Amino acid sequence: MSVYPVVFIVLSYFVWIKCIYYRHRSSLVKSLNRFMNVLTSRDTVGADIRALVVTAHPDDECMFFAPTIIRLVELKASVHLLCLSEGNYYNQGAQRKQELLNSCAVLGIPDSRITIVDHKKLPDDPKAEWSVSLVSSLIVKHMREHSFNMVLTFDGSGVSGHANHTAIHKAVSYLASTGQVANDCRLLSLVTVGLFRKYISFLELPFSWLLPCSLRCFLGSQGYRQAKDAMYCHRTQLLWFRYLYITMSRYMFINTFQMIPQGPKNLKIY
């Protein structure tokens, strides 16, 4: 059997990926204009965005949200981070806090826009059930203090299934369903994908391009190096499988988001 058809298909796939990436910058601006209902020029749309990324632990910002943070910073958006724990599972809280600050500096978020919560009822523990009431109160307080018009966090599966991640989604969904979010604020959840798509690196790009979502952010080689450098700031977390994650995870290259609907709904919290 001739190998030429296979080579042609493979090369075509890579060309397709490259074309998608080059189209992404203009499409990202258009998506933000449409999504935010901001009628401004391409050069100023980013300045209209005040974004809050809500995470559970130090390293979440670069393991999962780096493509979005980097792209928004490139567009001159005001990007803030709210991390709801110091990551003290192995009693390394102080060190991990500094690692987070270093990572954010690489991603383009200054210290003045970073808030790290240290609360005894919000331990870094996959077995701990965070209080949705407490988490939602912390988030909404931060939102009101800074008048954000975009909030990005995990979806109901939390990418990795971590209980602390899913608790944040429940909290933001609660705020959305009870009318505690300003009308001009958009809430976005990071889409969790299956294992196959999660670990085929940038080759996953066409799937994310074709499947419907509210917002998508992609990185090229330069952005990936920036995300990787941010991850390398978390020295305490660089076990062997982290290096595999850095190389193989699509979240180092690609983020897709769905909007969290807003409106009254009965939702019991604990």
Side-chain angles (χ1 to χ4, degrees), residues 13 193 197 200-208 250 254:
Y13 191 77
V193 300
R197 287 179 59 194
I200 57 173
S201 189
F202 65 89
L203 298 176
E204 197 272 342
L205 182 57
F207 293 92
S208 292
R250 57 90 78 172
I254 304 160

Side-chain angles (χ1 to χ4, degrees), residues 54-57 82-86 117 122 130 135 138-139 168:
V54 186
T55 62
H57 320 106
L82 174 62
C83 183
L84 293 174
S85 80
E86 289 187 339
V117 176
L122 299 177
W130 284 4
V135 173
L138 291 170
I139 294 173
I168 297 176

Side-chain angles (χ1 to χ4, degrees), residues 40-133:
T40 57
S41 70
R42 291 186 180 184
D43 294 332
T44 59
V45 64
D48 297 301
I49 297 173
R50 300 179 304 281
L52 173 66
V53 179
V54 186
T55 62
H57 320 106
D59 77 9
D60 288 349
E61 79 290 341
C62 54
M63 282 188 68
F64 306 118
F65 295 94
T68 304
I69 294 172
I70 290 171
R71 298 299 280 168
L72 288 177
V73 169
E74 285 178 354
L75 292 174
K76 310 301 182 184
S78 176
V79 182
H80 295 240
L81 178 74
L82 174 62
C83 183
L84 293 174
S85 80
E86 289 187 339
N88 202 36
Y89 188 64
Y90 293 107
N91 297 316
Q92 297 173 315
Q95 187 174 352
R96 294 198 66 188
K97 179 178 179 180
Q98 186 58 52
E99 289 174 346
L100 173 60
L101 297 176
N102 295 341
S103 170
C104 285
V106 173
L107 295 174
I109 305 177
D111 290 2
S112 60
R113 295 179 182 173
I114 302 168
T115 301
I116 304 171
V117 176
D118 180 19
H119 196 292
K120 64 181 180 180
K121 292 185 178 181
L122 299 177
D124 171 12
D125 187 343
K127 297 179 181 179
E129 291 292 333
W130 284 4
S131 165
V132 175
S133 177

Side-chain angles (χ1 to χ4, degrees), residues 199-255:
Y199 290 114
I200 57 173
S201 189
F202 65 89
L203 298 176
E204 197 272 342
L205 182 57
F207 293 92
S208 292
W209 182 258
L210 293 173
L211 293 172
C213 65
S214 299
L215 185 69
R216 52 176 67 90
C217 296
F218 306 147
L219 291 180
S221 57
Q222 182 176 345
Y224 168 68
R225 286 192 294 271
Q226 188 178 350
K228 183 169 61 174
D229 289 343
M231 188 62 211
Y232 285 159
C233 292
H234 293 278
R235 294 294 179 185
T236 60
Q237 305 305 298
L238 292 179
L239 303 174
W240 66 269
F241 55 86
R242 297 289 190 196
Y243 290 98
L244 291 178
Y245 182 93
I246 291 169
T247 303
M248 302 302 297
S249 175
R250 57 90 78 172
Y251 290 98
M252 295 294 294
F253 295 90
I254 304 160
N255 284 164

Side-chain angles (χ1 to χ4, degrees), residues 184-195:
D184 66 342
C185 185
R186 304 294 182 260
L187 307 176
L188 291 163
S189 60
L190 181 64
V191 174
T192 298
V193 300
L195 284 177

Side-chain angles (χ1 to χ4, degrees), residues 132-162:
V132 175
S133 177
L134 174 60
V135 173
S136 61
S137 67
L138 291 170
I139 294 173
V140 75
K141 179 182 178 183
H142 203 65
M143 290 171 62
R144 289 170 178 170
E145 287 176 352
H146 297 276
S147 301
F148 296 112
N149 57 13
M150 179 186 289
V151 176
L152 309 104
T153 192
F154 297 101
D155 69 2
S157 298
V159 179
S160 63
H162 199 296

